[in-house]
Amino acid sequence: MAKTMLSQSKISLHSLRNDMLSVLVSKLEGSSKLAKQTGTKEMIKKMSAAAAIFNEARNKENTIGSTKASKDYYTLLKSRYTALSGVVTAALNGGVAAEKKAAQSIKDKFVRISSVFATKTDAIAKLETVIVGFRTLPESAFETIGGTRYLDDMASIIKEYHAVMSKRIDVKVDKNNAVQKARMALIETIQGVTEAIRYAQVCLDGAETELVKAYNTVFNEISTALKQMGGHKKEEETTE
């Protein structure tokens, strides 16, 4: 009987921007409760520990090298997302059947504001993922409730954000500091997790099938997000 195997061929860990690497690991951690084998569980613990060090290093670097511009973009995007949330809520409670139907379809793709903007470090990447979900809906859904301009505004602001932040000189210090070392350590532990899973599937008669299915869903979600964001590059490359 064919075993369900892990598939991450569409994602190159070494090519992921740092913010998207954090999002990927966060999603993997969310699915890791399905792990059954001791070896897999131990590698997942190592991944989580490495992720904590990586995120701490990133937060420290961002605190030292952050600019007023990045804070302004964060605030602006949060206001637009909040406004879209208000439009959706109004349409749900407005009593117009067509608007309520459209709003409900958007709400199903909506992620809580407090979750998306929990930290400045990952807010942009999280919002990009949410927008990818929104783009799977018919444009008419947003047009019906008057939310198109908020969606387009956010997409435009994010594009401008990446263009502006790519010119930041201070981020180049990343290349030789703790962030890069922590990044490589994290990637190595993710590879360790995938190797442990493959061992379980091949040598232990598909012992991690439930985890594999969950992880494959995560990899597919990230792959789809990356495609719609226009490909993926290392954060240090996009900031040169």
Side-chain angles (χ1 to χ4, degrees):
M1 182 177 178
K3 300 180 180 69
T4 302
M5 300 303 293
L6 193 66
S7 175
Q8 64 175 87
S9 59
K10 296 179 181 179
I11 295 178
S12 168
L13 296 176
H14 290 282
S15 297
L16 284 176
R17 281 192 338 232
N18 285 348
D19 54 355
M20 289 305 292
L21 181 61
S22 291
V23 171
L24 170 63
V25 174
S26 177
K27 286 178 173 289
L28 292 177
E29 288 178 322
S31 300
S32 292
K33 60 182 178 294
L34 296 173
K36 298 184 182 302
Q37 297 299 307
T38 300
T40 308
K41 292 178 180 179
E42 288 301 316
M43 286 308 306
I44 288 172
K45 287 181 181 179
K46 291 182 180 180
M47 179 181 71
S48 294
I53 294 173
F54 174 63
N55 288 327
E56 182 180 357
R58 284 189 63 215
N59 287 336
K60 183 177 180 180
E61 190 280 330
N62 285 340
T63 298
I64 294 173
S66 64
T67 64
K68 181 178 182 297
S70 65
K71 295 177 182 178
D72 289 344
Y73 282 116
Y74 172 91
T75 301
L76 187 58
L77 285 167
K78 186 175 182 180
S79 71
R80 292 292 190 277
Y81 195 65
T82 300
L84 178 59
S85 176
V87 169
V88 171
T89 300
L92 286 171
N93 300 323
V96 179
E99 292 182 359
K100 184 174 182 179
K101 181 179 179 181
Q104 186 59 56
S105 67
I106 297 171
K107 183 180 178 182
D108 291 342
K109 299 284 185 180
F110 213 91
V111 178
R112 288 182 303 174
I113 297 171
S114 60
S115 177
V116 174
F117 294 92
T119 66
K120 290 183 175 67
T121 304
D122 298 325
I124 301 295
K126 288 181 178 179
L127 184 56
E128 285 176 315
T129 302
V130 174
I131 291 176
V132 168
F134 285 160
R135 294 299 191 191
T136 64
L137 298 171
E139 292 183 11
S140 58
F142 291 91
E143 293 172 355
T144 298
I145 66 169
T148 302
R149 69 187 183 96
Y150 298 111
L151 183 60
D152 290 344
D153 276 355
M154 289 188 290
S156 178
I157 292 167
I158 289 173
K159 183 177 180 180
E160 180 181 319
Y161 166 83
H162 286 308
V164 170
M165 301 309 285
S166 70
K167 298 175 182 177
R168 286 176 56 197
I169 298 175
D170 58 338
V171 178
K172 291 184 179 180
V173 300
D174 259 6
K175 292 185 176 180
N176 295 308
N177 69 9
V179 175
Q180 285 307 303
K181 292 180 181 178
R183 172 189 169 87
M184 291 309 300
L186 176 56
I187 289 175
E188 287 175 3
T189 61
I190 296 173
Q191 292 171 333
V193 171
T194 59
E195 288 171 6
I197 291 174
R198 290 191 175 101
Y199 172 81
Q201 293 304 92
V202 174
C203 303
L204 301 178
D205 197 27
E208 295 288 11
T209 294
E210 290 184 27
L211 181 65
V212 169
K213 290 179 179 178
Y215 270 25
N216 282 346
T217 297
V218 170
F219 285 125
N220 285 335
E221 289 175 351
I222 295 295
S223 176
T224 299
L226 292 172
K227 285 181 180 178
Q228 295 197 28
M229 286 158 49
H232 54 299
K233 299 179 181 179
K234 291 181 183 177
E235 185 171 304
E236 61 269 24
E237 291 177 346
T238 62
T239 52
E240 287 183 344

